[in-house]
Amino acid sequence: LFDGASLILNRGSIFINGEAFSGSKIVMVAGELGSGLAIHAGAEAHFSGGVLGGIGIGGNAVITGGQIGSSFDVWSTGNLTIVGGSFPEDTSTTPNFDVFAGGHVSIIGSDFSIHSQSLGLSYGVPRLVTERNGRLLEGTLQDGSSFELKLEARSDPACCVRYNWIDPDATLTVTYLIAGDVNVDGAVDELDTSAWQAGYGADATGDADFDGNTDGDDLLILQKNYGEVAALAAKFESLPEPGTLASTLLFLVQLGFVRNRLLYSIVEQCV
């Protein structure tokens, strides 16, 4: 796919190798993608359903649903956000998820822990995960799916030897955020529906599925989660002191967590 081209997959299977270059976009709702898809820098992808095979992402990608397969690589230019979807049952032994130095991964949901120890996150504030050495990151994605990810640093310098590793120079964050809370105030209520109405067809003000726009899919998420409220402790902890507000906002921007346009991706690289 070249600049300006789009691919929408809502049924069937694609098993051949393919490439998406800068300016192109892939939207997957259902069906099956085999291995060998490369999403290059400047390309975008949004996966909300289906079965995802081996994919390398150097552009921006988001996964909100579907079955996440093996051999997912986040390259140095890649930005990936995971909001939903099912992981393989055993990610500790099956080559599955590799993040190269410079790659960025954001995981959004709740109940995050490392080696069974709760991270105690403040609401809506990304927590940088620096732990490696085989520690197990667990949690619940926004769609209710549970996941676990073994945090190994890359130990074998041989090219393309994969053991579910995340390079120490890659950026991995987890964020406690309930689905549909587009204004990030800890509740899904009339303020979020107002934001959706204001942004509908115009911008990402009411974007609840992280695809960069406000449409009917976002309204469905708001309706499904209307009335949900974040844990009080996390809400209170997330309120910054006046003197730290600017630094908090800067931190969010630096990590790519701009709520109306989250960047995401995965990609492979053999050097």
Side-chain angles (χ1 to χ4, degrees):
L1 296 179
F2 294 96
D3 187 9
S6 297
L7 170 66
I8 300 176
L9 180 63
N10 55 22
R11 63 181 178 177
S13 302
I14 298 177
F15 291 103
I16 60 174
N17 293 342
E19 295 182 271
F21 293 97
S22 179
S24 63
K25 185 174 183 178
I26 295 176
V27 177
M28 182 175 177
V29 180
E32 185 173 359
L33 274 177
S35 61
L37 175 64
I39 300 173
H40 294 286
E44 297 185 6
H46 188 270
F47 304 105
S48 60
V51 179
L52 310 179
I55 297 177
I57 302 177
N60 304 320
V62 61
I63 300 174
T64 61
Q67 180 178 331
I68 301 173
S70 63
S71 300
F72 260 69
D73 295 338
V74 182
W75 295 332
S76 61
T77 57
N79 295 281
L80 168 69
T81 294
I82 301 175
V83 185
S86 60
F87 278 70
E89 291 185 3
D90 186 0
T91 61
S92 62
T93 59
T94 305
N96 179 66
F97 195 80
D98 307 331
V99 186
F100 290 78
H104 298 262
V105 177
S106 300
I107 302 177
I108 300 176
S110 61
D111 302 322
F112 293 106
S113 65
I114 293 180
H115 254 44
S116 301
Q117 296 296 316
S118 175
L119 296 182
L121 302 182
S122 296
Y123 187 77
V125 179
R127 194 270 203 186
L128 182 63
V129 178
T130 59
E131 292 85 350
R132 299 293 188 269
N133 300 322
R135 293 184 176 276
L136 192 65
L137 172 65
E138 299 176 279
T140 303
L141 301 176
Q142 266 197 357
D143 70 346
S145 301
S146 59
F147 81 96
E148 62 179 39
L149 185 64
K150 194 174 184 181
L151 302 173
E152 289 281 10
R154 187 177 189 180
S155 57
D156 191 334
C159 177
C160 296
V161 177
R162 301 172 177 134
Y163 302 104
N164 275 327
W165 53 265
I166 300 175
D167 192 280
D169 291 325
T171 301
L172 171 64
T173 64
V174 293
T175 306
Y176 174 27
L177 187 67
I178 55 179
D181 185 13
V182 297
N183 66 346
V184 197
D185 67 350
V188 183
D189 53 22
E190 65 276 3
L191 296 179
D192 298 295
T193 56
S194 295
W196 179 85
Q197 291 173 336
Y200 182 74
D203 53 38
T205 302
D207 181 17
D209 62 0
F210 300 88
D211 65 352
N213 57 53
T214 304
D215 55 21
D217 293 334
D218 303 303
L219 180 59
L220 292 176
I221 295 175
L222 291 176
Q223 292 174 333
K224 181 179 179 180
N225 296 281
Y226 196 86
E228 291 291 327
V229 178
L232 288 178
K235 287 177 62 178
F236 290 138
E237 289 173 6
S238 69
L239 296 176
E241 295 294 328
T244 64
L245 178 59
S247 60
T248 299
L249 293 176
L250 178 60
F251 177 67
L252 297 181
V253 172
Q254 288 175 333
L255 290 181
F257 191 84
V258 180
R259 182 59 184 79
N260 289 338
R261 183 172 174 77
L262 263 164
L263 299 179
Y264 6 60
S265 15
I266 322 183
V267 197
E268 70 163 337
Q269 181 168 301
C270 293
V271 178

